[in-house]
Amino acid sequence: MLLEVLALCGYGLWMLLGLALALGIYSTGRGEALVPLTLGCLFVSAGLLLACLRLPLMPEWHGWQIGHSLRPTREALLALATYLPMLGLAGMVRGNEGFWATRLISVALVLCSVACLVSSAYGYRARRMAQAGVTMQIPLSRVLSACYGGGLWLWVCVIFQANLTGADVAPLPWAIGLLMLALLLGLADGLGWQQSLRKPTPGERLRHAEDLQGRRFLAATLICAVPCLALLVVPLLPWGRWLSLCAAMAYVVGKTIELKLYDVAVTRLIEPDAP
């Protein structure tokens, strides 16, 4: 679950950075884009590296069992293809922001990242969820999770690379954008939880919800409450930039907990006798 959340943040970083570069609204220091590109690469590649080591923790990567099968799955091929525009952008990002090739590669990175997020929504876990009738909101939820998580980490990169109290960073637009993403993500995840609890009888549904209620509240606090509070407090404190890092890490922990709880909920629907 942790590796999945890191991958979501990585693709979200690439997607938002590519969009900002394509629109010409990112920082004027073009070399500054190398930091979020590298951070996103580390997040996305964590699962691939562990899969190459053939550890039980990560037996496959996007459905591809590396070492057992020489032929990657279509989902794995798309994930590998996403590295190409990322590497191309890393090589051209120090050029003029108005250069047409830089913007073209940025658009390609955005499209590849979105395509990878959507295709991975129909992987193994999604096929299991389909048996419970909760597949419809998965692609939307993954894209929103990637945008929100990637936005938090991009916010960290911008704040640590710029002067928070100067003209380089405008905290209000970042706060408004991320708060809106948090709201949309909360609505999408709420619909997902409603669908995951719709099949049992009222008594089973109540008992099921009570079993997960405390941990769901903890996950929601880490995903939404802590980052949203940090968004409002960071500009007011001289050391506030460290809160942005705490907010991004809190999201990773909270989203990992939520995915685990959601997997437990779906397992109970598919296998009623499961603990």
Side-chain angles (χ1 to χ4, degrees):
M1 301 301 175
L2 175 60
L3 294 173
E4 184 174 349
V5 174
L6 290 177
L8 286 176
C9 292
Y11 286 120
L13 259 174
W14 286 351
M15 185 166 51
L16 294 179
L17 178 64
L19 183 61
L21 290 172
L23 296 176
I25 59 176
Y26 196 66
S27 174
T28 54
R30 309 311 297 162
E32 294 180 2
L34 292 176
V35 174
L37 277 176
T38 304
L39 185 60
C41 183
L42 292 176
F43 287 165
V44 171
S45 303
L48 176 60
L49 293 176
L50 287 179
C52 289
L53 296 176
R54 304 182 190 179
L55 297 177
L57 176 66
M58 193 72 175
E60 63 178 26
W61 184 70
H62 291 286
W64 180 27
Q65 293 184 345
I66 302 175
H68 297 282
S69 175
L70 297 178
R71 186 173 182 178
T73 62
R74 286 182 295 180
E75 183 182 333
L77 282 174
L78 180 57
L80 291 173
T82 310
Y83 284 89
L84 296 178
M86 183 273 296
L87 293 174
L89 188 59
M92 302 188 67
V93 77
R94 291 184 181 275
N96 190 334
E97 65 177 3
F99 187 38
W100 63 269
T102 301
R103 297 198 175 192
L104 184 61
I105 295 177
S106 299
V107 172
L109 180 61
V110 173
L111 294 178
C112 287
S113 299
V114 174
C116 192
L117 287 170
V118 173
S119 67
S120 63
Y122 297 96
Y124 172 72
R125 290 182 66 245
R127 288 193 294 271
R128 290 181 65 247
M129 292 179 183
Q131 301 178 41
V134 295
T135 305
M136 292 302 294
Q137 83 283 354
I138 289 176
L140 175 62
S141 178
R142 286 183 69 85
V143 172
L144 288 174
S145 298
C147 288
Y148 181 55
L152 289 172
W153 283 105
L154 185 59
W155 180 46
V156 172
C157 294
V158 170
I159 284 183
F160 274 88
Q161 289 180 291
N163 181 10
L164 183 61
T165 60
D168 294 332
V169 177
L172 186 59
W174 282 95
I176 293 176
L178 289 173
L179 287 173
M180 290 180 63
L181 283 173
L183 177 62
L184 293 175
L185 179 60
L187 292 174
D189 287 344
L191 291 175
W193 278 105
Q194 276 191 338
Q195 282 194 322
S196 69
L197 297 175
R198 69 181 181 181
K199 283 190 175 182
T201 63
E204 291 173 339
R205 182 164 57 246
L206 179 61
R207 186 177 67 254
H208 191 173
E210 289 176 347
D211 289 344
L212 303 177
Q213 186 174 6
R215 287 171 289 176
R216 283 181 59 194
F217 179 78
L218 173 61
T221 300
L222 293 173
I223 292 172
C224 294
V226 172
C228 290
L229 181 61
L231 284 168
L232 301 176
V233 174
V234 162
L236 305 177
L237 301 175
W239 45 270
R241 64 184 63 197
W242 292 101
L243 288 179
S244 66
L245 180 60
C246 294
M249 295 176 66
Y251 169 79
V252 172
V253 175
K255 195 64 180 177
T256 302
I257 296 174
E258 184 186 61
L259 287 181
K260 179 62 178 177
L261 295 179
Y262 198 69
D263 194 67
V264 170
V266 173
T267 300
R268 289 180 179 179
L269 289 181
I270 300 173
E271 305 170 5
D273 296 332

